[in-house]
Amino acid sequence: TPRLKRAGVPADLQSVLHQALSTDPDARPTSSEFSRRLQGLVLHDEDGHQAPHFPSSPPASSPGAPGLAAVVEPWGQTILRSVAAVALPPLNSKTSPPSPASTKTSGIVAILTAIPEEMTAVARHLDGRRTVTTQHGLVYTQGEFSANGNSWRVICACVGPGNMSAALVTQQTALVFEPDLLAFIGVAGGIKDVKKGDVVVASRIIGYEGGKDSSRGFLPRPAILTTDFRLLQHCTQVSLSRRWRSRIPRAYRGDSQVFIKPLVAGEKVLANRRSQLVADIRRNHSDAVAVEMEGIGMYSAASFFQAIPAVSIRGVSDLLAGKRGSDDEHWQPRAAASAAAFFFEALSSLTRQQLSRPHSRQAFDSSSPDAERPEDWVVG
């Protein structure tokens, strides 16, 4: 963004506007930070008289008043006061803090990613980011995501590729943070029906590598884990609107679609569409639309914590048919941005109550004389 060359616009004001218009989303201030910086400007007219303040800005004569004695022409004063009045929340000392009814903490969300591009796409949506290290040495990025009166505490980590690392970090994350929702946000390779940039919400994860090697050939015995039905219903509703695309950085936007379909997961990087393994996947798991390398690990670990629902959301960064070496560099950031945008749009209308499970019934009838009681059960 070029610097303003018009006379009368002070350097400090230009700096605030220049940063807010940065082409790098991570370099821009949040709306509240932008508001505070604008409200810290004390405008003066050309004769040196103090101009009317932005809404909610304290008087310049008050002790400890913010600011910059800036000379801004009337056109600039009008624009800036309009921006502050319409787009920015009042932040002066007289404004009471938000009430619990208007802004409440919905809960904790834990997000796992495999590569830095995925982590960057997730962190872009968080405010107040900071690094958190557990006593076991696991490093997380923690931030806040607020929308529609709810504020989620978000914990995210980059675990590297592979189901084993995903399973181990999922287990530790669930034990340490006790999240209300586990999610894996990342990229995947398209098998059929999808194009690059599309988003796939896993209806179930299929571990394609399980099976028996017999005299008749390989007999598949896949591990199959399903996504919580309530999450699938919620994601289906979000996918019906195009609004989620507005959360994608403008440079990455396109005609992306959302699919609620199965994913297959394994430890192998599939780069040859004519290989026997790809043929086996197509034949044995014909309803799967994309392949990835971490979902079965995360879902397996999450299944031990039955009260914590898990979901895998993937952006398609390449296709098994016609894959090129340059796809990763160009499409991985775009695909990851699409997956993260859809997830956070879904999270914006999700509440903790929607994730909580009802109390289960008793597993036995205590009134029956023949009923087994927990103290009669034998472990061994």
Side-chain angles (χ1 to χ4, degrees), residues 228-305:
D228 187 276
F229 178 75
R230 296 162 301 170
L231 282 178
L232 292 180
Q233 288 290 292
H234 183 73
C235 288
T236 299
Q237 291 300 312
V238 175
S239 70
L240 298 178
S241 169
R242 297 169 59 93
R243 187 171 55 199
W244 68 273
R245 297 181 187 174
S246 65
R247 294 185 182 272
I248 305 175
R250 192 175 300 275
Y252 294 155
R253 290 180 191 173
D255 188 24
S256 301
Q257 299 183 63
V258 179
F259 294 82
I260 315 292
K261 293 286 186 177
L263 292 172
V264 292
E267 292 296 318
K268 296 177 175 63
V269 178
L270 304 181
N272 180 10
R273 65 188 179 95
R274 295 184 176 89
S275 71
Q276 183 59 47
L277 180 56
V278 171
D280 290 342
I281 291 175
R282 292 182 187 275
R283 180 177 63 254
N284 299 325
H285 315 294
S286 59
D287 56 345
V289 298
V291 58
E292 42 99 334
M293 297 176 62
E294 298 83 25
I296 198 68
M298 187 195 78
Y299 274 53
S300 297
S303 66
F304 287 97
F305 305 91

Side-chain angles (χ1 to χ4, degrees), residues 117-183:
E117 290 80 1
E118 298 166 354
M119 187 71 169
T120 299
V122 169
R124 185 181 290 121
H125 297 269
L126 305 181
D127 293 324
R129 297 192 299 269
R130 64 188 183 93
T131 301
V132 176
T133 304
T134 69
Q135 62 180 351
H136 301 289
L138 294 175
V139 180
Y140 296 82
T141 295
Q142 176 176 302
E144 301 291 330
F145 175 74
S146 300
N148 300 323
N150 294 320
S151 178
W152 292 92
R153 178 187 172 200
V154 180
I155 304 292
C156 50
C158 188
V159 304
N163 288 289
M164 182 65 74
S165 60
L168 292 173
V169 177
T170 297
Q171 183 186 49
Q172 290 299 311
T173 301
L175 290 172
V176 173
F177 297 102
E178 298 182 354
D180 300 285
L181 173 63
L182 282 162

Side-chain angles (χ1 to χ4, degrees), residues 45-108:
D45 60 25
E46 295 179 348
D47 297 327
H49 298 103
Q50 185 173 313
H53 290 281
F54 293 150
S56 77
S57 186
S61 58
S62 62
L68 159 72
V71 177
V72 181
E73 296 184 23
W75 64 270
Q77 295 178 19
T78 301
I79 291 175
L80 291 174
R81 281 199 298 272
S82 298
V83 169
V86 176
L88 303 175
L91 292 171
N92 64 343
S93 58
K94 297 180 180 179
T95 304
S96 58
S99 64
S102 60
T103 302
K104 56 186 178 182
T105 301
S106 292
I108 300 174

Side-chain angles (χ1 to χ4, degrees), residues 16-27:
V16 172
L17 298 177
H18 188 76
Q19 185 176 5
L21 295 172
S22 172
T23 56
D24 179 7
D26 294 331

